[in-house]
Amino acid sequence: MAGDQLQVLNALDVAKTQWYHFTAIVIAGMGFFTDAYDLFCISLVTKLLGRIYYYQEGSNKPGALPDNVSAAVTGVAFCGTLAGQLFFGWLGDKMGRKRVYGMTLMLMVLCSVASGLSFGHTPTSVMSTLCFFRFWLGFGIGGDYPLSATIMSEYANKKTRGAFIAAVFAMQGFGILVGGMVAIVVSAAFKAKFPSQPFQIDALGSTVPQADYVWRIILMFGALPAVLTYYWRMKMPETARYTALVAKNAKQAASDMAKVLQVDIQIEEDKVGRMRGNNFGLMSREFLGRHGLHLLGTTTTWFLLDIAFYSQNLFQKDIFTAIGWIPGAKTMNALEEVYKIARAQTLIALCSTVPGYWFTVALIDRMGRFAIQIMGFFFMTVFMLALAIPYHHWTLPGNQIGFVVLYSLTFFFSNFGPNATTFVVPAEIFPARLRSTCHGISAACGKLGAIVGSFGFLYLSNGIGVRITLLIMAGVNFLGVLFTFLVPESKGRSLEEMCGEAGEGNETLESRRRSSSV
């Protein structure tokens, strides 16, 4: 109820879109830009790493990372991300969002640079140090998920909150896009400077020594956007919702938001003491009764989504090679292969990934989170089946373009769908005292799905083929449709109203879960 809500929180809920909203989106969004760049750029260089470090002289095919090494290199950052989401999500509720926010960014900067400086005299030592630094890079990235989502949700007004949180997450699309563009530019520059013959003509000379710099430059570039936003991230004030509802400091909350909103805000120390929702723990009966099913819904849907989403992103180069859209490795030199893989990934990002994110930004506060998530999972299922059932047809010469179009549509509907909504909803439906923790748990379950996707798809596609793998992913997406029914609609409601922190009594969110969409 508005009458029971703190004036500072009500002012945030009803505030018109202002400059500070956009600065918050950019500051938080650049973190996600860096996250996506760092997580996905590794898929652009794994084949190059195989050529450089695992070619055996006299072999009739280019060097390739062994399955276990490839899985480790692509998946270890997800293991770090999972740990970081749990740790920093918990820390964000204990120490405050702002105090923890800078730690994650500095960790990302240092480990991006260190990943590119991976050292050693043998393939094993280089891959080991690369995996070590990418684990800690992932640990920093993990902290960005709950903190960025929570900060944006607590800054936003209730009318456009979904769009603001989704806009932060949409920067992930630009990170994937720029990753491909950087790889194109770097590989093209080195290819022009150090020309070489394709592998089938000159096996040893097709991988020039300078190619070792290419993957290092691509990985290290991820530190640049993080460095550029560190100062502004440190200048952001703590969110009023944390200060008032968790730290119980009404004076500081009013002072911080008065500067941000440029309005006079009354200090309500007495009302802070009466605010609900700050006296039960994560494993308490009250939390499980009010939010247990919601946490189950956010964790399962994010887990299922990431199995499909990350396996698609990380291994699209293998799928494109299988259908003949990327030429066979023997017909190219090492740098040309990086260039063509990057070009394919950039085209997919430009035509489907990025537009999908921004469709969500434009429509999430009109359609609602529930409708977009159901729609996304449903169409991902449909297009996966359309790829898998007639798979042989798509491998025939001349049919690759049709495959790529349908494959692009699965990316479009993952981003105009559950990839965005699974990030948005956990930042809205849980109490302030546990909001960052619950978002971290939900995100960590997503990364568990990413680990399943990155490790599992590698072995599945090698063992049972791409067609059966696509059928399995269609089944995973259909399960996502079913588990979405556990996730409540949060469109148009105050955070405190949804969580019972505005003095609403014991009415649960479940009893009004989708009234806002009626």
Side-chain angles (χ1 to χ4, degrees):
M1 296 179 188
D4 294 321
Q5 191 178 28
L6 285 172
Q7 185 187 2
V8 64
L9 304 186
N10 187 58
L12 284 167
D13 279 339
V14 301
K16 293 181 180 179
T17 301
Q18 299 177 33
W19 181 247
Y20 86 89
H21 286 120
F22 293 109
T23 57
I25 288 170
V26 171
I27 293 167
M30 284 308 291
F32 264 88
F33 175 97
T34 307
D35 296 348
Y37 183 98
D38 288 333
L39 284 176
F40 293 113
C41 68
I42 193 67
S43 67
L44 299 167
V45 299
T46 49
K47 286 188 179 292
L48 179 61
L49 290 171
R51 285 189 184 238
I52 295 171
Y53 293 107
Y54 287 90
Y55 173 67
Q56 295 180 353
E57 195 167 348
S59 174
N60 63 350
K61 59 183 180 180
L65 296 178
D67 285 350
N68 62 329
V69 176
S70 179
V73 168
T74 55
V76 71
F78 296 136
C79 298
T81 303
L82 187 156
Q85 286 164 336
L86 293 173
F87 176 73
F88 286 113
W90 168 80
L91 202 62
D93 283 332
K94 293 296 181 185
M95 294 178 59
R97 295 34 165 150
K98 180 192 172 180
R99 290 178 65 186
V100 182
Y101 214 20
M103 300 180 197
T104 63
L105 206 62
M106 285 312 300
L107 195 56
M108 288 156 58
V109 170
L110 294 173
C111 291
S112 289
V113 174
S115 295
L117 298 176
S118 297
F119 49 85
H121 299 291
T122 65
T124 301
S125 60
V126 174
M127 294 301 112
S128 297
T129 52
L130 176 61
C131 288
F132 175 81
F133 290 125
R134 281 192 62 80
F135 174 87
W136 290 107
L137 172 65
F139 192 71
I141 289 171
D144 231 38
Y145 276 73
L147 293 170
S148 290
T150 300
I151 284 172
M152 199 65 243
S153 73
E154 294 181 345
Y155 265 111
N157 62 56
K158 63 183 179 182
K159 184 178 179 181
T160 56
R161 184 179 60 236
F164 289 158
I165 304 172
V168 169
F169 195 61
M171 294 299 287
Q172 200 177 61
F174 288 119
I176 296 171
L177 180 64
V178 170
M181 292 170 65
V182 168
I184 287 172
V185 171
V186 174
S187 60
F190 274 76
K191 185 157 65 84
K193 182 69 174 175
F194 307 104
S196 62
Q197 296 293 327
F199 179 86
Q200 59 190 8
I201 296 176
D202 182 3
L204 198 59
S206 66
T207 305
V208 296
Q210 292 81 5
D212 195 50
Y213 294 114
V214 171
W215 69 269
R216 296 176 186 274
I217 292 170
I218 292 170
L219 295 190
M220 287 193 286
F221 186 86
L224 185 60
V227 167
L228 295 176
T229 54
Y230 181 78
Y231 171 74
W232 298 106
R233 189 172 279 202
M234 290 298 90
K235 284 191 68 176
M236 291 178 74
E238 182 57 86
T239 70
R241 287 183 159 95
Y242 181 86
T243 306
L245 299 176
V246 182
K248 298 290 188 181
N249 189 338
K251 182 177 180 180
Q252 187 64 49
S255 173
D256 287 344
M257 290 305 103
K259 294 175 185 175
V260 168
L261 298 173
Q262 298 181 332
V263 296
D264 292 327
I265 295 176
Q266 181 182 350
I267 299 172
E268 300 169 295
E269 296 279 8
D270 57 330
K271 194 178 284 189
V272 165
R274 300 198 304 269
M275 295 298 284
R276 293 173 47 82
N278 288 301
N279 56 357
F280 56 82
L282 181 66
M283 299 307 295
S284 67
R285 185 171 298 177
E286 185 174 357
F287 175 84
L288 293 176
R290 294 166 67 93
H291 298 289
L293 282 178
H294 306 148
L295 187 58
L296 178 63
T298 59
T299 53
T300 52
T301 52
W302 207 334
F303 171 78
L304 294 166
L305 176 275
D306 275 10
I307 290 176
F309 180 76
Y310 280 91
S311 59
Q312 282 178 262
N313 267 291
L314 289 171
F315 298 104
Q316 59 181 285
K317 61 184 183 301
D318 301 302
I319 292 175
F320 291 153
T321 300
I323 65 165
W325 199 44
I326 294 176
K330 291 182 181 180
T331 66
M332 299 179 284
N333 62 44
L335 295 177
E336 186 179 5
E337 186 174 38
V338 174
Y339 177 84
K340 291 192 173 178
I341 290 170
R343 188 178 62 179
Q345 182 164 312
T346 302
L347 184 63
I348 292 291
L350 187 63
C351 296
S352 59
T353 304
V354 172
Y357 280 116
W358 291 98
F359 265 75
T360 301
V361 173
L363 297 174
I364 190 169
D365 288 310
R366 298 181 184 180
M367 293 176 61
R369 290 70 162 146
F370 178 80
I372 288 177
Q373 186 159 311
I374 284 282
M375 176 192 70
F377 270 129
F378 174 77
F379 281 110
M380 288 169 70
T381 304
V382 169
F383 289 121
M384 283 291 181
L385 291 174
L387 293 171
I389 293 172
Y391 180 72
H392 177 68
H393 167 79
W394 299 120
T395 63
L396 299 176
N399 295 336
Q400 289 93 339
I401 296 301
F403 183 98
V404 171
V405 169
L406 289 179
Y407 193 65
S408 297
L409 285 170
T410 66
F411 279 102
F412 176 82
F413 281 104
S414 66
N415 295 310
F416 182 33
N419 193 39
T421 54
T422 51
F423 176 79
V424 172
V425 174
E428 300 181 306
I429 64 174
F430 298 109
R433 182 172 178 268
L434 299 168
R435 185 170 292 136
S436 180
T437 300
C438 290
H439 194 284
I441 292 171
S442 302
C445 286
K447 282 300 164 286
L448 185 61
I451 293 167
V452 171
S454 59
F455 285 87
F457 183 87
L458 180 70
Y459 291 106
L460 281 175
S461 60
N462 287 341
I464 61 177
V466 173
R467 180 177 182 271
I468 301 300
T469 305
L470 290 170
L471 286 171
I472 291 171
M473 287 201 287
V476 168
N477 289 324
F478 181 70
L479 286 176
V481 172
L482 302 181
F483 278 99
T484 295
F485 286 93
L486 294 176
V487 181
E489 178 59 75
S490 49
K491 181 181 75 171
R493 290 191 174 273
S494 160
L495 299 180
E496 291 70 46
E497 182 185 356
M498 289 188 294
C499 302
E501 292 176 313
E504 289 187 290
N506 292 320
E507 183 187 5
T508 64
L509 182 58
E510 189 64 32
S511 65
R512 53 178 186 272
R513 56 185 299 179
R514 294 191 181 90
S515 61
S516 62
S517 62
V518 176

